[in-house]
Amino acid sequence: MGSDRTAVVQGKKGEDVLGPVRRALIHIDNSLSRRSCPFLADIVLWGALYPLLQDPTYLPEELGALHSWFQTLSSQEPCQRAAETVLKQQGVLALRPYLQKQLQPSLLEGKAVSNEPEEEELATLSEEEITIAVTAWEKGLGSLPPLRPKQTPVLPVAGERNVLITSALPYVNNVPHLGNIIGCVLSADVFARYSRLRQWNTLYLCGTDEYGTATETKAMEEGLTPQEICDKFHVIHADIYRWFNISFDIFGRTTTPQQTEITQDIFQRLWNRGFVLQDTVEQLRCESCARFLADRFVEGVCPFCGYEEARGDQCDKCGKLINAIELKNPQCKLCRSCPVVKSSQHLFLDLPKLEDRLEEWLGKTLPGSDWTPNARFIIRSWLRDGLKPRCITRDLKWGTPVPLEGFENKVFYVWFDATFGYLSITANYTDQWEKWWKNPEQVNLYQFMAKDNVPFHGLVFPCSALGAEDNYTLVSHLIATEYLNYEDGKFSKSRGVGVFGDMAQDTGIPADIWRFYLLYIRPEGQDSAFSWTDMLLKNNSELLNNLGNFINRAGMFVSKFFGGYVPEMVLTSDDQRLLAHVTLELHHYHQLLEKVRIRDALRSILTISRHGNQYIQVNEPWKRIKGNEADRQRAGTVTGLAVNIAALLSIMLQPYMPTVSTTIAAQLQLPLPACSILSTDFLCTLPAGHQIGTVSPLFQKLENDQIESLKQRFGGGQAKASRKPTDVETVTTDVETVTTAGPQQIKVLMDEVTKQGNIVRELKAQKADKNQVAAEVAKLLELKKQLALAEGKPLETPKGKKKK
């Protein structure tokens, strides 16, 4: 039957004229013909195929099951609405990131596929699109709007697009690693820079989150006060973000009088309206440390998924919030003793009472917003399970005081008042802060974070603001990333694994290269991993050989062949078509960044650069300049158009690689306002006669030995190198010579043995493949061997074998 169906879609001579997409459709048709029950996945597949299957050539009657399935779903009212409001408006462009790659034959045939970008086929253009692109090009700089005058402080302006951008506040006593940096501050910085290029009235703020037990404990360790610890680490954070060229308008902190005033005001409004409850709470108290333990200083087994290193407030594995006393086998992280349960009076935010207000607000906000899919899913899963009262006070000293009789010795839980830090940081910037934060009609609020922060920004803060009834600006667009891992594991400061913010600048790799690679692998739809080898490949292929090569060649041709002046350009139909293709890709770039799809928009820059390289390669201006008058004129046109594409790329790069962008603009002597405004059209910004500056290479090659050295250095080598000689000593026994390690190394190995033992038990319980179980058992035995050596114990002789 399969061969007959395939024959239907072949040409007269038997050749396959339909390509890999049609073969995939035939596969879907075969699958559909074997079942009748629809699934949720059908809707997803229908939405993906809709633009394609509008073309009858892809949906012949012979594919009966696919034809019937598609027509049935297309007739459903929800699908019709989606088609009218989204799919028909955006067409294939809406799905371009997926369709431009198409289904490769190698995927269908089970062959390995390269991660390197392939040359893309140029889209089919209409004459109208070409004419519009040429008209825009000819208008040049004259079509750009005047630059917005800079105002200090930046305040909302009636009638303009006012964009308020926040990055999740990093906790003050942790040095951020690459995953923290891409998850909030770097992603937000790209969007803030893009917003300014669009002439939107933009305010971008962040700051250090400074209250809580972690600060108290760090202060005790270093013999400082909590305020001194905050002062020290605030400077460390600020220096790191400055090196990464993060363009904050404000980088503040939460230990301010404004934080206390705003937090207490919101609390009083919630209390007066009946949205705060009192209740007795059973808490974990460490008798050895003589203190109640904050949630993050308790570890144990997650009651939901069984993860053995769940914190007292949240499980990093399943993401569920936890009350510390729910943990199984809890331990004090400070001394490793078992805490006891004691009672204490506390305050709770009555989330069930606010649930209807939250649902109503979400119903109005989500349909027209750019909340990422993971943010929507997390909030909906919370609502599906039903909201519960959430404790908002703690038995601590370092925090915002609770302004209520009987609670003088308590402070607000850091995750109740930390999100109010955005308001207080703005209040430290301007006493007119309410124009941003109590102005939902005129302000678009974009909030950037990793997915573990979604419940607090998308649920706890909105509930608090809605209950306060003070017209607060709430998040319009909640942008959450997945997690960035390091190579094949996790970042760990204590074990010296991974690159942290204060280490990146010591690698000799410029900040813009770090920015580029982190944004290239930004974990938008799923977790991604930093890889030194991949960083080398992307630098040498995408930056050096593609982008840098094109911009350098375009500028060098102007300098070498035309004395540093942009030559006259007489556009042919092929040149006009290139204008239209670049314009199309520029439109795509804008569409993606307006939807905050930062990683995909970066691909548009690289695609334009590839078009430029191909254009130069095909037209060979270095040969034509030596020919007759017509050839020399052609060389001038190609060079002039290429250097204008380079000028466009310099502005498109500004959100991603600001230093490189400034360097290109300086080399090309790009005039104002062209270097500060990004038009939606491709304009001739360097007209004939424009003089450029000195052109030089933009990027350097990363060498294998350089990267291998860095890989070793950040693979745990720092911890080993910094360990004191007395931590490890050699002990001679009557069996063999063994090496014992210090307590910290032994603790790490014990944890690894425990985790690996859990993996083995889970696999055996699931009756997994024997080979898989055997492999994991081998890892467990090796870890136990390392632990025995570390503890100075002689290795056991395997049964049935005598040791010589």
Side-chain angles (χ1 to χ4, degrees):
M1 181 177 175
S3 60
D4 293 336
R5 295 173 68 83
T6 303
V8 172
V9 294
Q10 288 183 337
K12 292 181 180 179
K13 296 182 180 179
E15 74 277 16
D16 186 352
V17 297
L18 298 170
V21 173
R22 285 294 295 277
R23 290 200 294 276
L25 293 178
I26 293 169
H27 174 76
I28 294 171
D29 182 73
N30 280 323
S31 300
L32 290 169
S33 65
R34 292 193 290 268
R35 71 169 179 85
S36 57
C37 179
F39 301 103
L40 179 60
D42 289 49
I43 305 299
V44 178
L45 184 61
W46 173 85
L49 294 177
Y50 183 89
L52 189 69
L53 297 186
Q54 293 304 293
D55 184 346
T57 60
Y58 286 99
L59 192 58
E61 294 291 340
E62 291 84 359
L63 302 181
L66 179 61
H67 191 279
S68 173
W69 169 86
F70 182 72
Q71 294 300 331
T72 299
L73 281 178
S74 298
S75 65
Q76 301 297 314
E77 184 181 349
C79 292
Q80 288 178 348
R81 285 203 307 271
E84 289 297 327
T85 57
V86 180
L87 298 171
K88 285 187 178 178
Q89 290 177 18
Q90 298 182 4
V92 178
L93 192 59
L95 297 146
R96 184 170 182 177
Y98 310 100
L99 295 179
Q100 67 183 3
K101 295 180 181 178
Q102 295 191 348
L103 292 171
Q104 304 162 27
S106 53
L107 287 174
L108 298 172
E109 295 162 13
K111 297 179 182 177
V113 181
S114 169
N115 288 325
E116 294 304 307
E118 299 182 354
E119 289 190 8
E120 299 171 20
E121 292 185 8
L122 296 178
T124 302
L125 297 168
S126 68
E127 289 302 319
E128 183 183 9
E129 288 174 314
I130 295 171
T131 302
I132 292 172
V134 172
T135 302
W137 159 270
E138 291 173 345
K139 289 180 180 177
L141 290 172
S143 63
L144 287 177
L147 274 173
R148 290 188 81 260
K150 289 187 178 180
Q151 54 169 322
T152 304
V154 181
L155 294 173
V157 178
E160 292 193 18
R161 181 165 181 175
N162 300 297
V163 178
L164 178 58
I165 302 170
T166 72
S167 295
L169 306 182
Y171 202 72
V172 70
N173 71 338
N174 291 328
V175 177
H177 57 64
L178 297 181
N180 304 136
I181 290 168
I182 186 59
C184 49
V185 295
L186 180 52
S187 295
D189 183 61
V190 171
F191 189 71
R193 289 176 178 276
Y194 174 72
S195 296
R196 297 181 191 120
L197 283 176
R198 295 296 303 275
Q199 298 285 282
W200 299 338
N201 190 36
T202 304
L203 182 70
Y204 174 28
L205 65 95
C206 186
T208 42
D209 177 10
E210 302 188 349
Y211 283 132
T213 304
T215 304
E216 284 187 357
T217 305
K218 190 72 174 177
M220 290 168 57
E221 289 175 1
E222 298 198 11
L224 300 172
T225 67
Q227 188 63 62
E228 288 171 335
I229 279 290
C230 292
D231 294 343
K232 172 185 173 180
F233 277 90
H234 176 80
V235 172
I236 291 173
H237 277 266
D239 288 344
I240 289 170
Y241 303 137
R242 191 178 300 113
W243 187 80
F244 274 96
N245 218 339
I246 307 299
S247 62
F248 301 121
D249 292 292
I250 326 160
F251 185 71
R253 52 201 308 185
T254 57
T255 49
T256 64
Q258 289 88 343
Q259 174 75 5
T260 300
E261 180 184 343
I262 291 171
T263 299
Q264 291 183 346
D265 176 67
I266 292 174
F267 167 75
Q268 289 285 9
R269 296 180 71 89
L270 289 166
W271 174 262
N272 293 339
R273 286 160 176 75
F275 295 121
V276 178
L277 306 172
Q278 292 189 58
D279 201 359
T280 300
V281 176
E282 291 186 327
Q283 287 181 253
L284 292 176
R285 178 179 172 85
C286 179
E287 299 297 352
S288 299
C289 298
R291 64 191 298 171
F292 282 102
L293 294 176
D295 294 341
R296 285 177 174 258
F297 282 81
V298 184
E299 273 188 354
V301 179
C302 174
F304 300 104
C305 71
Y307 179 56
E308 295 203 351
E309 295 182 8
R311 299 194 310 265
D313 61 343
Q314 189 172 24
C315 176
D316 285 335
K317 185 174 181 182
C318 69
K320 290 188 178 293
L321 293 189
I322 302 169
N323 284 323
I325 60 168
E326 297 175 340
L327 288 172
K328 300 175 183 177
N329 305 324
Q331 279 189 331
C332 169
K333 285 185 68 175
L334 302 176
C335 68
R336 289 296 165 188
S337 64
C338 182
V340 296
V341 178
K342 295 273 181 146
S343 295
S344 180
Q345 192 75 7
H346 280 283
L347 299 173
F348 288 75
L349 182 63
D350 194 350
L351 291 176
K353 200 170 181 179
L354 290 159
E355 189 166 350
D356 288 344
R357 297 186 186 204
L358 181 70
E359 285 274 21
E360 182 183 357
W361 170 71
L362 287 171
K364 295 176 181 177
T365 302
L366 290 181
S369 72
D370 294 315
W371 284 44
T372 50
N374 57 354
R376 294 170 185 261
F377 176 79
I378 290 168
I379 295 301
R380 285 300 175 196
S381 66
W382 271 59
L383 290 170
R384 183 191 64 232
D385 296 339
L387 300 184
K388 298 175 179 60
R390 186 74 181 160
C391 188
I392 60 172
T393 52
R394 286 293 183 268
D395 289 293
L396 303 174
K397 295 179 181 178
W398 185 244
T400 303
V402 178
L404 196 65
E405 186 177 350
F407 291 84
E408 295 86 354
N409 295 324
K410 299 183 191 294
V411 298
F412 284 114
Y413 179 30
V414 68
W415 266 116
F416 172 67
D417 76 329
T419 49
F420 305 151
Y422 301 123
L423 286 63
S424 70
I425 288 168
T426 312
N428 274 276
Y429 168 71
T430 172
D431 57 6
Q432 302 178 69
W433 65 274
E434 292 183 349
K435 290 186 176 180
W436 282 108
W437 287 102
K438 294 185 180 181
N439 191 3
E441 297 81 12
Q442 294 185 349
V443 173
N444 279 308
L445 174 57
Y446 288 78
Q447 296 197 291
F448 288 79
M449 67 206 68
K451 62 183 177 182
D452 57 337
N453 276 329
V454 168
F456 307 104
H457 291 76
L459 193 149
V460 177
F461 176 71
C463 281
S464 302
L466 290 167
E469 297 178 351
D470 205 14
N471 198 39
Y472 279 106
T473 302
L474 296 178
V475 60
S476 312
H477 312 277
L478 201 158
I479 314 301
T481 62
E482 301 291 323
Y483 294 137
L484 178 73
N485 296 315
Y486 181 78
E487 296 288 352
D488 54 355
K490 291 185 177 182
F491 291 87
S492 171
K493 188 81 169 180
S494 62
R495 292 187 288 117
V497 176
V499 181
F500 286 72
D502 55 347
M503 303 170 181
Q505 52 195 301
D506 297 330
T507 61
I509 298 173
D512 268 14
I513 307 302
W514 285 103
R515 287 176 63 109
F516 168 82
Y517 183 64
L518 289 174
L519 292 162
Y520 194 97
I521 61 170
R522 183 174 183 263
E524 291 188 0
Q526 60 185 13
D527 291 357
S528 61
F530 175 90
S531 161
W532 283 108
T533 303
D534 189 52
M535 185 180 188
L536 177 147
L537 291 171
K538 295 300 183 290
N539 178 83
N540 295 350
S541 61
E542 292 291 10
L543 292 181
L544 189 66
N545 295 339
N546 176 18
L547 184 66
N549 179 55
F550 168 67
I551 292 172
N552 186 252
R553 291 172 86 191
M556 287 300 296
F557 290 156
V558 175
S559 299
K560 184 176 180 180
F561 301 147
F562 301 97
Y565 292 88
V566 176
E568 291 287 341
M569 290 165 276
V570 181
L571 302 183
T572 65
S573 59
D574 285 342
D575 300 329
Q576 293 176 347
R577 192 168 294 278
L578 178 62
L579 288 182
H581 282 301
V582 171
T583 300
L584 182 67
E585 203 61 51
L586 175 60
H587 289 170
H588 189 218
Y589 170 92
H590 281 299
Q591 288 175 347
L592 290 169
L593 275 183
E594 286 178 7
K595 294 291 184 183
V596 205
R597 287 173 55 188
I598 293 170
R599 186 190 61 201
D600 290 338
L602 178 56
R603 275 25 175 214
S604 291
I605 296 174
L606 302 173
T607 297
I608 290 176
S609 179
R610 276 193 286 275
H611 289 339
N613 270 318
Q614 293 163 11
Y615 176 66
I616 287 176
Q617 209 60 31
V618 167
N619 286 280
E620 300 180 321
W622 62 92
K623 290 183 180 178
R624 291 182 181 271
I625 196 67
K626 300 174 184 177
N628 57 29
E629 183 63 28
D631 280 340
R632 289 196 296 275
Q633 185 184 72
R634 183 66 189 147
T637 297
V638 172
T639 300
L641 182 50
V643 80
N644 268 279
I645 294 175
L648 171 66
L649 289 172
S650 75
I651 309 306
M652 295 176 71
L653 271 173
Q654 194 179 113
Y656 295 89
M657 306 179 77
T659 302
V660 170
S661 170
T662 302
T663 301
I664 300 169
Q667 291 184 9
L668 301 182
Q669 295 192 17
L670 194 60
L672 284 172
C675 54
S676 300
I677 299 176
L678 182 58
S679 170
T680 53
D681 293 310
F682 178 27
L683 310 176
C684 179
T685 53
L686 304 180
H690 172 86
Q691 185 177 14
I692 69 168
T694 303
V695 177
S696 58
L698 297 170
F699 305 109
Q700 291 185 336
K701 184 179 181 182
L702 292 178
E703 301 292 347
N704 285 319
D705 55 351
Q706 174 191 6
I707 291 300
E708 191 57 37
S709 172
L710 290 170
K711 189 174 182 179
Q712 293 295 325
R713 175 181 165 189
F714 295 105
Q718 310 105 298
K720 294 174 185 175
S722 63
R723 194 177 298 131
K724 297 178 183 178
T726 54
D727 285 345
V728 179
E729 55 187 34
T730 302
V731 179
T732 303
T733 70
D734 58 348
V735 180
E736 59 181 318
T737 300
V738 296
T739 301
T740 61
Q744 183 62 33
Q745 187 183 6
I746 291 173
K747 171 65 172 61
V748 170
L749 285 168
M750 289 175 69
D751 290 346
E752 293 294 327
V753 168
T754 301
K755 282 197 286 188
Q756 188 63 25
N758 290 335
I759 292 172
V760 170
R761 280 192 291 275
E762 287 179 14
L763 288 173
K764 288 181 176 179
Q766 296 167 5
K767 297 183 179 180
D769 179 75
K770 290 182 179 179
N771 292 331
Q772 185 182 2
V773 174
E776 297 301 332
V777 168
K779 290 181 185 178
L780 177 60
L781 293 175
E782 177 60 28
L783 285 169
K784 286 184 175 180
K785 177 181 175 182
Q786 292 177 23
L787 178 60
L789 288 171
E791 292 176 330
K793 298 176 181 177
L795 297 178
E796 294 181 8
T797 304
K799 293 179 181 179
K801 295 183 181 179
K802 292 185 178 180
K803 187 166 184 176
K804 295 181 181 179

